[in-house]
Amino acid sequence: MKKIFTLLATLFVSMQTFAVEFKPFEQAAFESALQMNKPVLIDVYADWCPTCKRQLKVLEPMLQEEQFNDYTVFKVDYDEQKDALKNFQVTRQSTLILFNEGKELRRSIAETNETRLRQFITLSE
C-alpha cells in the first residue's frame, strides 16, 4: 500500500511539473516571454463567450502535456484589454495567436476541434 501511495504521489508531482499556467496578459511580461525565444500563446478570451469556454476545455488539459511545458500562455480579456486587442489587431474573442522565437507564427479564430487545436499549438520540427 505504501508503494502505491509513493507511486501516486510521484506521478502527481511529475504531472505538476508540466502544468502550463494561463497568465493574465501584461505587455511587459509578454515582451519578456518573447525574448526567451520559446513558444508564447495568446488567448483572447471573454467570460461570456461559449466558444472561448469550449476552447479552454480543450486547451487546458492539452497544455498539461510534457511537449508543451516550455509554453507561456497569456489570456487577454476581450472586454477589458482594448489596447492589447489593438496591438494584436484582434477583432474577435476566441482568437488564439501563437508566437515562437519572438515572431508570430499563426492565428486561429473560434477553433474548438481538439485535433485542429493540437495542430495549431504544436510546433513543427
Side-chain angles (χ1 to χ4, degrees):
M1 183 69 166
K2 187 175 181 181
K3 287 182 180 182
I4 292 174
F5 178 74
T6 304
L7 176 63
L8 290 174
T10 303
L11 286 172
F12 179 75
V13 169
S14 66
M15 284 174 54
Q16 294 298 325
T17 306
F18 305 124
V20 172
E21 175 186 355
F22 284 71
K23 302 174 184 180
F25 179 81
E26 294 177 1
Q27 187 66 38
F30 169 70
E31 290 172 9
S32 177
L34 285 182
Q35 291 177 359
M36 296 176 66
N37 289 327
K38 293 185 178 182
V40 176
L41 180 65
I42 299 294
D43 177 12
V44 179
Y45 184 88
D47 289 333
W48 49 264
C49 170
T51 303
C52 299
K53 291 176 184 178
R54 285 194 306 273
Q55 275 183 337
L56 190 61
K57 279 186 176 183
V58 175
L59 284 173
E60 273 186 325
M62 190 179 299
L63 288 167
Q64 303 312 309
E65 297 172 14
E66 182 178 4
Q67 64 181 326
F68 302 116
N69 70 339
D70 284 344
Y71 283 51
T72 302
V73 181
F74 292 103
K75 282 185 104 85
V76 174
D77 186 316
Y78 181 79
D79 296 315
E80 300 293 326
Q81 296 183 292
K82 299 300 183 185
D83 287 344
L85 298 179
K86 185 177 178 180
N87 288 341
F88 289 121
Q89 299 178 355
V90 170
T91 58
R92 286 192 52 190
Q93 71 282 357
S94 73
T95 298
L96 300 171
I97 309 169
L98 182 63
F99 293 81
N100 191 38
E101 297 180 355
K103 299 174 189 157
E104 182 178 330
L105 293 181
R106 53 190 166 261
R107 291 176 181 232
S108 175
I109 299 173
E111 182 60 68
T112 59
N113 176 276
E114 182 176 355
T115 301
R116 288 190 293 266
L117 280 173
R118 180 175 298 281
Q119 290 171 341
F120 174 80
I121 66 172
T122 302
L123 298 175
S124 301
E125 294 293 316

